[in-house]
Amino acid sequence: MNKLVRPNQSAFIRGRLIHENYKAVHHTARLLHQSKITCSLVKVDIAKAFDTVNWRFLLSLLAHMGFSRHWLNWLSILLCSASTKIILKGAPGRRICHARGLRQGDPLSPLLFVLII
């Protein structure tokens, strides 16, 4: 992952600390203020982005990054097999197939999310 993403992407990557990004933004804002440079800083809220990942975009991105067709097929099968059942009064309901997003709790999902971001 260190070779695939830029150093300022720190979430979910071993050896990187997300609070380093906060410090970088803080120092940048202070420098801009002291230099009286007119600019805007934008904070993007990605709270629900994990659940709205477009699978077609993800696979296209990975292909562009040089991942093999075999690996993309494997990932496609993994994504398409995602489903949920809701338990109501102790009985599982019908299967609900997912059409987007990354699986919560899957160890591969945070890494895929970092690549998308």
Side-chain angles (χ1 to χ4, degrees), residues 46-81:
I46 57 171
K48 295 186 183 208
F50 205 77
D51 299 327
T52 59
V53 168
N54 181 300
W55 294 345
R56 184 174 290 166
F57 174 78
L58 171 61
L59 295 171
S60 296
L61 173 71
L62 295 175
H64 178 75
M65 294 178 81
F67 284 80
S68 70
R69 173 56 45 201
H70 180 73
W71 203 89
L72 295 174
N73 289 341
W74 173 77
L75 182 60
S76 182
I77 291 168
L78 183 68
L79 292 170
C80 293
S81 66

